[in-house]
């Protein structure tokens, strides 16, 4: 694989999953970790990503409040509009973090009266500007990588909540592995959110379908509704419908 092809692949992976590990890229492209490190250093110098120990972070994710930098922004806006249809007055709604969740926060109709409970600083920032939404921020140690509160204290607080539905910012999903992520602390928070919600709704651009990461959030049977930018009848969504998941 030529350097240009490698770096194009790396950029897509980091924008898709927000965080990537050098060891995973090395295996996926069958090149040495030294080669990957050189690529990451060069791409960081070019301003394409953020180099961290053992891998890289998406620059578009970490600049997510400035929406011009968001990866697949139009798709995420479309997903957000679909998700808004599920929220009714009086609901208690749990949300994780991520750029699609932020677009959901921006898209909420001004007349909506509901309570949003979140671990995400950027999402909370958007919710507090809504005229009729009550906001509960569950704080603890902040993960700089994910921009959410993590740790035992926040997990315990989530378990004390009973939400009508939750919206999960999604890293990866497939039928075999279910919902997965690449950050252990984030996974523990997402597990608690899933367990504390009557209806579990992942939000995912279609590029994340049929992908998997290292750590499991829940089995495919643990989700109720899947929202992507695709029309529900799209063939790519048929296996998820066959698994008994509502698709919007």
């Amino acid at each position: 694989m030529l350097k240009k092809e490698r770096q194009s692949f790396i950029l897509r992976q980091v924008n898709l999953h927000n965080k990537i590990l050098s060891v995973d890229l090395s295996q996926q492209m069958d090149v040495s970790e030294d080669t990957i490190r050189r690529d990451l250093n060069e791409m960081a110098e070019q301003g394409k990503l953020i180099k961290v120990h053992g891998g890289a972070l998406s620059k578009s994710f970490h600049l997510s409040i400035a929406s011009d930098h968001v990866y697949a922004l139009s798709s995420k806006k479309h997903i957000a509009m679909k998700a808004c249809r599920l929220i009714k007055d009086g609901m208690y709604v749990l949300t994780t973090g991520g750029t699609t969740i932020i677009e959901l926060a921006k898209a909420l109709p001004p007349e909506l009266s509901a309570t949003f409970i979140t671990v995400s600083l950027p999402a909370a920032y958007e919710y507090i500007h809504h005229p009729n939404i009550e906001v509960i921020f569950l704080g603890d140690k902040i993960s700089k990588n994910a921009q959410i509160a993590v740790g035992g204290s926040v997990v315990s607080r989530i378990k004390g909540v009973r939400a009508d539905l939750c919206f999960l910012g999604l890293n990866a999903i497939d039928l075999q592995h279910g919902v997965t992520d690449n950050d252990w602390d984030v996974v523990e928070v997402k597990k608690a959110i899933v367990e504390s919600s009557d209806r579990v709704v992942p939000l995912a651009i279609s590029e994340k379908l049929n992908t998997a990461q290292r750590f499991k959030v829940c089995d495919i049977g643990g989700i109720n509704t899947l929202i992507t930018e695709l029309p529900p009848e799209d063939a790519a969504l048929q296996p998820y419908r066959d698994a008994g998941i509502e698709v919007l």
Side-chain angles (χ1 to χ4, degrees):
M1 185 179 289
L2 299 175
K3 183 171 77 169
K4 184 177 180 180
E5 294 173 316
R6 286 198 314 270
Q7 294 191 359
S8 177
F9 178 82
I10 290 170
L11 189 60
R12 181 176 181 274
Q13 291 301 306
V14 74
N15 282 327
L16 195 57
H17 299 297
N18 301 327
K19 172 185 174 182
I20 51 173
L21 300 177
S22 299
V23 62
D24 290 343
L25 291 170
S26 174
Q27 293 172 358
Q28 290 164 359
M29 292 189 283
D30 194 24
V31 297
S32 71
E33 286 192 54
D34 284 340
T35 298
I36 296 298
R37 278 192 288 270
R38 286 194 296 271
D39 282 339
L40 294 181
N41 286 333
E42 182 177 318
M43 295 173 74
E45 290 172 0
Q46 295 169 351
K48 294 179 178 179
L49 48 72
I50 302 170
K51 178 74 169 62
V52 295
H53 179 70
L57 304 175
S58 166
K59 195 167 184 179
S60 71
F61 175 75
H62 284 264
L63 296 174
S64 58
I65 292 178
S67 62
D68 288 347
H69 298 279
V70 174
Y71 181 72
L73 180 60
S74 62
S75 294
K76 292 175 181 180
K77 286 181 178 290
H78 189 46
I79 290 168
M81 294 305 296
K82 290 184 181 183
C84 285
R85 303 202 302 260
L86 299 181
I87 309 167
K88 309 299 180 186
D89 284 345
M91 277 189 168
Y92 282 75
V93 183
L94 265 167
T95 69
T96 61
T99 49
T100 309
I101 295 293
I102 294 171
E103 293 309 315
L104 168 63
K106 293 176 179 178
L108 296 172
E111 67 275 10
L112 176 68
S113 177
T115 299
F116 276 69
I117 307 164
T118 187
V119 293
S120 166
L121 280 174
Y125 174 83
E126 295 297 338
Y127 294 142
I128 62 175
H129 290 90
H130 191 284
N132 294 306
I133 283 177
E134 294 293 329
V135 185
I136 300 174
F137 176 71
L138 301 178
D140 201 327
K141 173 186 174 183
I142 299 295
S143 165
K144 291 183 179 180
N145 291 350
Q147 300 179 359
I148 69 169
V150 296
S153 177
V154 74
V155 168
S156 178
R157 290 175 187 148
I158 293 168
K159 289 181 177 179
V161 171
R162 193 73 235 165
D164 295 293
L165 76 159
C166 71
F167 292 110
L168 296 179
L170 202 64
N171 197 309
I173 183 172
D174 73 359
L175 293 176
Q176 180 180 357
H177 300 95
V179 176
T180 54
D181 208 301
N182 55 20
D183 187 311
W184 176 261
D185 289 333
V186 171
V187 164
E188 292 303 297
V189 170
K190 286 185 175 181
K191 282 181 178 179
I193 287 175
V194 167
E195 293 168 1
S196 296
S197 303
D198 292 337
R199 186 176 184 182
V200 179
V201 186
L203 310 180
I205 58 173
S206 56
E207 291 177 78
K208 295 187 179 184
L209 299 177
N210 307 319
T211 67
Q213 295 292 318
R214 290 175 176 264
F215 306 121
K216 178 176 283 189
V217 175
C218 66
D219 290 323
I220 199 70
I223 69 175
N224 303 102
T225 304
L226 174 63
I227 304 180
T228 76
E229 81 280 11
L230 302 175
E233 64 274 10
D234 193 285
L237 297 171
Q238 185 61 49
Y240 296 91
R241 292 197 299 272
D242 292 342
I245 297 169
E246 179 188 27
V247 175
L248 294 185

